[in-house]
Amino acid sequence: MPPTDRFAPPPSLLTGKRIVLGVTGGIAAYKAADHASYLAQQGVDLRVVMTAAATRFVGPMTFEAITRQPVYRDVFDGWAGEEAGHVTLAASADAVIVAPATANTIARMAQGMVDDMLTATLLATQAPIIVAPAMEHHMWHHPATRANIELLRSRGVTIVEPESGHLASGANGDGRLTSRDRIVAAVREQLARGGPLAGRKVVVSAGGTHEAIDPVRFIGNRSSGQMGVALADAAFDAGADVVSVVGPTVTVPPMVGRVERCESAREMSALVQEETGDADVLIMAAAVADFRPESAVASKIKKGPGDDAPIVRLTRNPDILATVKRDGLFLVGFAAETDDLVANSQAKLQAKALDMLVANDAVATIGSANSQATLLFANGDVIQLPLLAKAELARVIVHQLIPALPEAERKDA
Ligand code: C5P
């Protein structure tokens, strides 16, 4: 794969997917416009279906402007040309989201009613259904709603639970529509099923570590963890069971998979050792501190008048990659180099006995949204990549490691 302008990283999981967004009649319907806009920006082929009550809260034109597609409402919509109303929409969907889902629509779904385009589509589709309820606290906790939710769950519908907080009534309580990120994560989980990493556990480390000097001070680095988070996303979207071990510098942890937080290199090491016990792949994207203060002082170091500045003696941290148990574990390391990138990286690949190493220019990469990387493999293959967004680079790395996994571990899609 030579560096060329025509190099195209694999598309994201959402790109080109046909998703039907059902919007029902609660005040949170206005938030669905933001969800629709986000999905459209991700390249989703989005079709919006509104209930009659939803159109009282938000004009269909809002969604038509966002999707550049007609908004379906009536069960008799969409019979023009090749389209066969709800049947075509239901059959062509990769996923159907209902957000916000009112107690009324949840009840209609539970009963299998077909009195508008949305319920007809929901009954006719074979695609995964993701429901994000939003309603008043007492409606959410009413035994009727509880029973309907459990019934939908038992039929395989994914319920993205509402949150606690400010409700339209002015009261605080349960029933607030959950965040867009959580809804999108639930959709991705459904779309990623059966992907090339299905049944595989991938552990990804991300971010820098903090090495305590005293209870309030630490030695740290500038790593934002963006690369590790992008890798967790890419592995998740390939169907993997992902555990992210994230350092304290990561302000936006992955929205998908399981996230384990840690502070220091030693804490990260313990978590990585534990999580890789039954893992197939370890991707060490974290900028682990190489050194830590020999001993962290128990109370804050004072600067009294006339006191000398303290001397902080450093000691080496464990090298996690070099010490992790590796039976059947595919190891991916990162190298941030400032010169002789390929030669230094090849030496590192061998010294740490890695299966794959991602080498990038230290100065250009840290803290940037882009990265220009070279991939090196244990068999000697070298792939030089063009400048890519970190999310694109993450997809390239994940798709390159899939065929490099040992035969027995690879699950062909
Ligand atoms: O040797 P160097 O620090 O350049 O290697 C970088 C790679 O090793 C990265 O993948 C990083 O996550 C990992 N590493 C580690 N434990 C350390 C330091 C770095 O696993 N203590």
Side-chain angles (χ1 to χ4, degrees):
M1 202 187 295
T4 140
D5 290 347
R6 283 175 288 118
F7 173 80
S12 81
L13 179 68
L14 291 174
T15 304
K17 292 290 188 315
R18 166 71 66 91
I19 294 180
V20 174
L21 172 64
V23 183
T24 75
I27 177 62
Y30 79 91
K31 296 181 182 170
D34 176 51
H35 299 4
S37 169
Y38 174 81
L39 291 168
Q41 286 172 49
Q42 301 304 304
V44 167
D45 173 8
L46 187 66
R47 305 300 155 108
V48 175
V49 184
M50 297 178 82
T51 62
T55 63
R56 307 278 295 271
F57 287 96
V58 188
M61 206 203 291
T62 302
F63 292 102
E64 288 179 347
I66 291 167
T67 63
R68 302 298 162 119
Q69 295 289 334
V71 165
Y72 301 80
R73 283 175 275 178
D74 194 85
V75 74
F76 302 110
D77 284 349
W79 287 89
E82 296 293 297
E83 287 208 40
H86 61 277
V87 182
T88 305
L89 195 60
S92 65
D94 292 302
V96 181
I97 309 171
V98 187
T102 56
N104 179 51
T105 291
I106 289 167
R108 291 188 301 140
M109 286 177 75
Q111 292 304 311
M113 285 171 68
V114 177
D115 53 0
D116 62 8
M117 183 63 163
L118 178 58
T119 46
T121 306
L122 287 163
L123 210 61
T125 194
Q126 297 286 298
I129 297 173
I130 297 95
V131 169
M135 64 197 71
E136 266 304 302
H137 179 92
H138 296 295
M139 293 172 93
W140 174 243
H141 287 290
H142 194 284
T145 306
R146 308 287 355 117
N148 289 335
I149 289 284
E150 287 318 313
L151 195 54
L152 292 182
R153 267 207 187 101
S154 73
R155 293 180 189 149
V157 171
T158 302
I159 307 291
V160 197
E161 294 268 327
E163 293 174 13
S164 255
H166 175 82
L167 301 172
S169 62
N172 270 312
D174 302 334
R176 209 177 137 80
L177 182 69
T178 192
S179 71
R180 182 189 77 194
D181 285 349
R182 286 191 55 219
I183 296 169
V184 173
V187 174
R188 282 169 53 198
E189 185 167 0
Q190 294 303 317
L191 294 175
R193 271 175 200 273
L197 287 176
R200 304 283 158 228
K201 179 176 176 184
V202 176
V203 178
V204 182
S205 68
T209 58
H210 284 175
E211 309 298 323
I213 296 172
D214 68 17
V216 294
R217 302 182 180 93
F218 60 81
I219 296 174
N221 63 58
R222 296 185 199 282
S223 168
S224 65
Q226 283 180 70
M227 191 66 230
V229 172
L231 281 158
D233 276 325
F236 182 88
D237 286 349
D241 169 16
V242 177
V243 177
S244 303
V245 177
V246 305
T249 63
V250 177
T251 49
V252 187
M255 283 304 300
V256 290
R258 177 155 59 85
V259 176
E260 297 289 341
R261 285 212 163 262
C262 61
E263 283 284 316
S264 66
R266 285 188 295 176
E267 282 174 27
M268 183 173 277
S269 179
L271 274 171
V272 168
Q273 298 287 354
E274 189 184 321
E275 292 296 342
T276 49
D278 58 352
D280 299 286
V281 180
L282 168 64
I283 308 178
M284 278 297 299
V288 189
D290 292 317
F291 307 101
R292 69 172 183 277
E294 209 166 51
S295 55
V297 181
S299 45
K300 187 183 168 195
I301 300 169
K302 296 264 187 296
K303 59 166 192 333
D307 281 354
D308 285 339
I311 291 170
V312 179
R313 258 192 80 83
L314 300 179
T315 185
R316 284 190 78 111
N317 265 330
D319 189 313
I320 303 172
L321 261 179
T323 53
V324 77
K325 286 188 224 70
R326 47 190 68 215
D327 283 350
L329 184 64
F330 188 91
L331 289 179
V332 183
F334 274 71
E337 300 287 345
T338 48
D339 42 21
D340 291 336
L341 187 89
V342 173
N344 284 336
S345 304
Q346 228 131 22
K348 189 167 292 180
L349 180 92
Q350 275 157 16
K352 296 201 184 194
L354 304 177
D355 297 291
M356 182 176 173
L357 188 131
V358 183
N360 40 45
D361 183 300
V363 181
T365 299
I366 288 189
S368 162
N370 299 319
S371 181
Q372 182 155 22
T374 301
L375 309 184
L376 297 95
F377 295 83
N379 67 2
D381 283 357
V382 175
I383 302 176
Q384 284 192 314
L385 299 171
L387 186 70
L388 295 172
K390 284 182 177 170
E392 293 174 324
L393 174 59
R395 293 201 295 275
V396 174
I397 293 168
V398 166
H399 284 264
Q400 288 295 327
L401 77 78
I402 291 165
L405 287 178
E407 272 306 314
E409 291 184 36
R410 188 181 352 145
K411 181 181 177 298
D412 292 315

